[in-house]
Amino acid sequence: MGDWRTDPTYAMCRALADGADLASFAGGPFDIRAVVAAIDPGTFDGSVLDALPWANFPDGEMAREAVHLLHTGDGCAHNAMRRLFGMCAEGSRAAVALAVPVLIRIATDPCHPHRADALAAPARARYFCAASRDDFLLHRSGPHRDAPDGYDDYGVEVTGYPAGWSVAAARAAIAAGTPLLLPLLDDSDPAMRIGASYALATAADPGHTVGGSFATRFAKERDPMTLAALVLATAETTRAHPHRPATAWIRELGQDPAQAPEVRLAAAIGWLCLTDEPVPDALHTTVGALATEERARAMDALPWMAAAGGNEPGLLRCVHRMLHPEAPEPYSDDPWAPLP
């Protein structure tokens, strides 16, 4: 594998670092948004994968190899998805965004052995260990209005590539693939239903169609963890596209003792992210009683919680950051920090 600095996009990143106008590269061959938008939504085969302009983006060859393994269903396919996920975690997600249309089609193939893995798409940024009311479930659907240079608050990736372009491309691909992904909410495998909720929560939904589908599935769902996933997905899409009925519904779920504990906890966390109201005493009591260590570790099966956790279960990190923001961290991400 070659040095990413030999990729053609590096010249663009270097020019941007030297003060070039980001808008001058918009719509060109190194704009991942334009490249992904032009991908034919038809069936993918090996020749189509090879024809995609992987080399135009940092670490593109690594992404191409991983997607090829996933597409063929090779025995190493699970590790290939972990490789793509690792690229995103390390701040090099442009080439992974190019893979999203392929990953969607892998996920919708009922015969593919690794279809559930394919739904961990790179459509979120700055969300690892993000667990505060301000940051959890937050994403932007467009450039920040206070970014005069064309960047949004995602800034740049480790390679210098505009991170907001990568995230926007991935979300646009998921929005385009929504008709393919929505049926997965009714898949027989709970892991697929959770994964579909996670992916669809990042799709543009100004008409609340996706949010409505989450509510429809919730009414039929019986698996507590999948129900919790649908609540978090509804909260995420509602944060991007405010919808008062959805916010009220989430609050009611958190107050309903007939709901499963996982649902009430997801609803409490989701509601806190949708409002700046003070935390009610009743919510403190509910979360304190339900958020046990054992339940928190089980809820790390939800990708939102797994990403939020860091060195502790994601639910507990959310509880600490949202309900007790003034308290010191019970865990530290600093390996040199003294033990409590």
Side-chain angles (χ1 to χ4, degrees):
M1 177 172 50
D3 190 327
W4 68 265
R5 288 171 293 186
T6 64
D7 293 337
T9 314
Y10 181 60
M12 182 191 86
C13 296
R14 184 171 53 193
L16 292 172
D18 290 339
D21 183 4
L22 178 61
S24 66
F25 295 97
F30 304 131
D31 183 345
I32 189 62
R33 301 169 303 173
V35 174
V36 169
I39 294 177
D40 187 334
T43 303
F44 283 87
D45 57 26
S47 63
V48 174
L49 289 178
D50 290 338
L52 294 176
W54 301 102
N56 278 16
F57 303 98
D59 293 327
E61 182 58 27
M62 180 189 298
R64 187 199 68 79
E65 291 175 357
V67 174
H68 181 73
L69 288 173
L70 278 167
H71 177 71
T72 59
D74 185 275
C76 299
H78 181 70
N79 290 335
M81 192 62 234
R82 292 175 63 90
R83 190 185 309 171
L84 293 176
F85 189 74
M87 289 173 64
C88 293
E90 293 166 4
S92 180
R93 61 181 68 230
V96 189
L98 180 58
V100 172
V102 188
L103 298 177
I104 291 173
R105 282 150 187 82
I106 290 173
T108 56
D109 179 356
C111 298
H112 198 285
H114 300 283
R115 56 195 298 252
D117 295 332
L119 288 172
R124 294 167 175 87
R126 290 189 178 179
Y127 72 104
F128 293 106
C129 298
S132 69
R133 294 177 74 173
D134 289 337
D135 297 328
F136 193 60
L137 304 179
L138 177 67
H139 65 74
R140 296 191 180 279
S141 56
H144 195 288
R145 63 180 180 275
D146 297 326
D149 56 4
Y151 289 92
D152 53 28
D153 68 347
Y154 293 136
V156 295
E157 299 179 0
V158 66
T159 60
Y161 193 83
W165 282 13
S166 300
V167 176
R171 288 188 183 137
I174 291 170
T178 294
L180 299 172
L181 291 169
L182 282 175
L184 297 183
L185 294 176
D186 295 319
D187 195 273
S188 60
D189 183 355
M192 288 301 302
R193 301 197 297 274
I194 291 172
S197 302
Y198 189 62
L200 284 163
T202 65
D205 189 34
H208 310 294
T209 301
V210 173
S213 296
F214 292 151
T216 299
R217 178 63 222 180
F218 186 93
K220 299 184 289 184
E221 185 60 61
R222 294 294 177 266
D223 176 63
M225 208 65 74
T226 306
L227 286 165
L230 290 163
V231 172
L232 290 173
T234 302
E236 183 171 355
T237 192
T238 302
R239 186 157 198 182
H241 306 282
H243 190 47
R244 288 185 179 180
T247 301
W249 177 70
I250 289 171
R251 183 169 192 173
E252 290 169 4
L253 288 175
Q255 298 171 338
D256 184 358
Q259 298 294 333
E262 294 82 359
V263 173
R264 297 188 70 188
L265 288 166
I269 297 299
W271 180 80
L272 287 171
C273 293
L274 294 173
T275 177
D276 57 3
E277 294 182 27
V279 182
D281 290 341
L283 191 148
H284 269 286
T285 301
T286 296
V287 172
L290 299 179
T292 64
E293 179 93 14
E294 181 180 6
R295 183 167 289 125
R297 293 195 180 282
M299 288 185 70
D300 267 353
L302 301 174
W304 294 270
M305 294 303 176
N311 292 331
E312 64 180 314
L315 174 66
L316 296 185
R317 190 180 186 93
C318 287
V319 170
H320 296 147
R321 290 289 184 88
M322 296 184 191
L323 274 67
H324 309 285
E326 73 292 341
E329 287 288 323
Y331 296 82
S332 174
D333 292 326
D334 178 1
W336 306 111
L339 293 173

